[in-house]
Amino acid sequence: MKRAERLLDLLALLLNTRRPVPFSEIREAFPEDYGDCSEEAALRKFERDKADLTDLGIPLEYQAGDELSDEGYLIRRERYALPAVKLAPEELAMFFLAGVAALHLEASPFHDDLLLALNKISWAAGSREDAGRDFALPRSLGRVPQEGNPRLQEHLGALRRAIVARKSVTLSYHGFWRDEVSQRRVDPYGLVLRRGAWHLVAYCHTRRDIRVFLLERIRGLSVNPLKPKTPDFEFPEGLKLSERVAREPWEIRSHPPVRARIRFEPPVAEAAVAEFGHRACQVEQDGESRILELEVTSLDGLVPTVLWYRGRATPLSPPELCERVQAAWRRIGEEHA
Amino acid sequence: MRDLNQRLRILLFLVPYVVRNRGASLAELSRRLGMPEAELRQEIDFLLMIGQPPFAPDDLIEIYEEAGRVYVHLHQSFDRPVNFTLFEALALVCAGRMFCTPAMGDAAVAMEGAISRILSALPPEMRRLVADLAERFVFESGEAAPHLSVLRHAVEERREVDIRHFSAGRGEVIARSVRPLGLHLSRGHWYLVAFCTRREAVRVFRLTRIQQATLTDRIFDPMGEIDVPGTVEAALRLPPRGSREVVMSFSPAVARWVREKWGGEGCQPEPDGGLRLHLFDVSDEFALSYAASFAGEARILSPPQLAERLRDEARVLAGGAGSPAAAAPEGGI
């Protein structure tokens, strides 16, 4: 009997009874699979099947016998089955909105898990009619496999295992500034998806500091194969991964923070507030214009953004920013003279 | 390739789903489970062999397809899906947390509640593990998503929405009525896919550029199936090589940035280590802003009128004189 078939049959057997099923009975029920060899070999085979079922989320228990009941294997239905998850239709819709977006990423550490999880909450919400709205949006729930990025997917899968098991990883990393590939041994703390790009936050043994690596620039990766069940490192207490990854170009930590004020004119004022207003210390309204006050650690990182808006963004302070923007316009003018 | 684990998880969901939704169509199942219809048919045949010993006809699952619809008669106790696995619960929490940023406003509060309901349905030891691990896999949605709630209702209830929208390509705010078809997040930005009644075509709008959205009572007819994520991705891709070309050159200092951004497309190395970039059918506003953002390390080569426009803007803005309004480009971005 094929493995998939055997596993499902075994599950059917255990789901259809409330009493523990002794191994001898399982052997009899599957003579071709467990009966055709020594009891020891059969038991080993059964243990592997049990591990497969556990990986599927199935709580298969062994119960020792006593005066009241037999010894044997048992699945408790209340632990097996999806519990009632009471989500409001609004909440279900929000999970789908977020979930479908995550499923269409070119790679994700949880693509297949998320696909099933969304289906499960939709099932728990009731029949298709009750939960009908969940699928009002996408034509397909997940991305089409060929639209994905297989190398990125593979790296994310390996990092997911390493992060959960806390195992060190060796990276072949293409550094952008040096434009060369180097080997780095790192302790992977976690992954951050920001603006559609995956970042690895890790302790780098070469640099002896916490560093951020762009997944796109990882050329190769291997997880420490030694002692797979023993963690190589601890996750530092209080570390917030998202704070480690630079958000905006002007938030790259190259200088002590200064406050910069920029005035955005209509029609871009509203869009500017929506796009990075949440990173501003303060947003002032001045007629139709908006003045955003930003905390800046790299003025050079801010100049391109101001230039992008051209005449619709005016730097107000600090003077250094105003000068750099003006100097940039002079260069642009000369370049096009 | 689908591994055994993923395959079995799909099958263990398929049966209870059809038990609950008699006559679910193959097309719907295929969409839900990310499995082509042909593969689904094979799996339905496979499931007919599954059951409990002694495998008499009444001991087997009875599932069949008729005229594109699927039915289950005997479910052999596969009538409820398997509880969440650790990674399923984690995936749900991580994806849900995309909404839990200050930029998302009310949506963040609602999502926190929904996540805690998922967590409380888990066994205590798994709940702790999921909560811990969710700190290590951070999905961010990035910027704000104004009007998300209004637009989502409009999609569900098929109601037209009157919007005022800033078109970056044209550099102006445009009022129009749209029929919202779907919402999608891509690369940290939220987009609305909608049928524009003015243009009589499906259009993609970035949510941060929608300045006003008013739900109307005008109900529109269903428009048939639309691939919302696909429509957004297509709109974001570089326009196909059209007739109008913009050429820019970049200094060696920034050449690598530019090449990385465009994935080498339209890029031509220059002898001095710089780069020449050919863009097709991009808006003037985009080309001007893109060139300007390089602070003099980029030059527009053609069309000449565009180069002149940037030069004129630069002269005004470099002077530091005049009010910002006076300095604003014609139609400005």
Side-chain angles (χ1 to χ4, degrees), chain A residues 146-186:
Chain A
Q146 60 265 30
E147 284 174 0
N149 178 336
R151 188 175 75 169
L152 189 57
Q153 186 62 50
E154 189 193 319
H155 289 166
L156 285 173
L159 285 171
R160 165 179 133 168
R161 287 192 298 280
I163 290 164
V164 172
R166 301 204 300 273
K167 296 302 288 178
S168 297
V169 171
T170 306
L171 305 176
S172 296
Y173 190 71
H174 179 237
F176 185 81
W177 295 109
R178 289 164 187 247
D179 196 17
E180 61 186 24
V181 176
S182 60
Q183 301 291 313
R184 314 273 194 103
R185 187 162 161 261
V186 304

Side-chain angles (χ1 to χ4, degrees), chain B residues 30-92:
Chain B
S30 161
R31 221 150 64 175
R32 270 189 181 269
L33 302 171
M35 190 180 259
E37 290 185 27
E39 195 180 341
L40 262 173
R41 282 206 177 88
Q42 284 173 13
E43 295 294 15
I44 288 169
D45 287 344
F46 167 74
L47 283 168
L48 285 170
M49 299 190 297
I50 302 303
Q52 49 176 330
F55 306 109
D58 277 2
D59 297 323
L60 300 176
I61 293 177
E62 195 182 337
I63 181 169
Y64 60 95
E65 181 224 324
E66 202 176 85
R69 300 196 166 271
V70 184
Y71 303 86
V72 170
H73 274 180
L74 297 172
H75 58 65
Q76 306 301 348
S77 298
F78 291 112
D79 57 337
R80 292 182 70 91
V82 186
N83 207 338
F84 295 114
T85 65
L86 170 67
F87 286 109
E88 285 166 5
L90 180 60
L92 211 49

Side-chain angles (χ1 to χ4, degrees), chain A residues 9-72:
Chain A
D9 288 344
L10 189 58
L11 187 53
L13 168 69
L14 293 167
L15 280 179
N16 278 294
T17 177
R18 296 198 173 271
R19 65 180 177 89
V21 182
F23 184 59
S24 57
E25 215 173 293
I26 293 175
R27 272 190 94 183
E28 275 168 39
F30 296 89
E32 285 169 41
D33 298 276
Y34 306 129
D36 214 13
C37 48
S38 71
E39 179 160 358
E40 205 182 319
L43 202 55
R44 272 202 306 273
K45 194 170 180 182
F46 177 69
E47 284 298 327
R48 282 197 299 274
D49 288 347
K50 228 177 96 195
D52 279 346
L53 289 174
T54 307
D55 285 346
L56 295 169
I58 291 157
L60 184 53
E61 296 169 35
Y62 174 77
Q63 187 173 300
D66 58 25
E67 285 154 20
L68 294 172
S69 65
D70 288 340
E71 59 98 36

Side-chain angles (χ1 to χ4, degrees), chain A residues 77 91 128 139 176 312, chain B residues 21 31 79 117 256:
Chain A
R77 211 152 155 82
E91 294 173 330
R128 195 176 24 192
R139 191 174 73 181
F176 185 81
R312 300 297 189 188
Chain B
N21 298 285
R31 221 150 64 175
D79 57 337
R117 256 183 287 288
R256 284 183 46 226

Side-chain angles (χ1 to χ4, degrees), chain A residues 250-269:
Chain A
W250 59 85
E251 292 175 351
I252 293 166
R253 291 174 204 190
S254 49
H255 296 285
V258 293
R259 295 283 174 100
R261 285 161 60 82
I262 303 163
R263 182 208 301 272
F264 290 91
E265 313 289 340
V268 303

Side-chain angles (χ1 to χ4, degrees), chain A residues 16 77 80 82 86 90-91 120 123 128 139 176 189 191 193-194 275 308 310 312 335, chain B residues 9 20-21 31 77 79-80 83 88 117 136 138 140 152 208 256 289 299 313 333:
Chain A
N16 278 294
R77 211 152 155 82
Y80 165 86
L82 189 69
K86 292 263 179 292
E90 182 83 12
E91 294 173 330
K120 286 181 180 181
W123 188 93
R128 195 176 24 192
R139 191 174 73 181
F176 185 81
Y189 290 152
L191 292 163
L193 173 73
R194 180 165 293 164
E275 279 157 35
W308 176 278
R310 304 185 354 256
R312 300 297 189 188
E335 198 58 30
Chain B
R9 280 157 75 201
R20 180 163 270 189
N21 298 285
R31 221 150 64 175
S77 298
D79 57 337
R80 292 182 70 91
N83 207 338
E88 285 166 5
R117 256 183 287 288
R136 331 251 324 239
V138 181
E140 286 188 355
R152 205 173 53 66
T208 51
R256 284 183 46 226
S289 283
R299 181 151 58 102
E313 280 185 25
I333 187 166

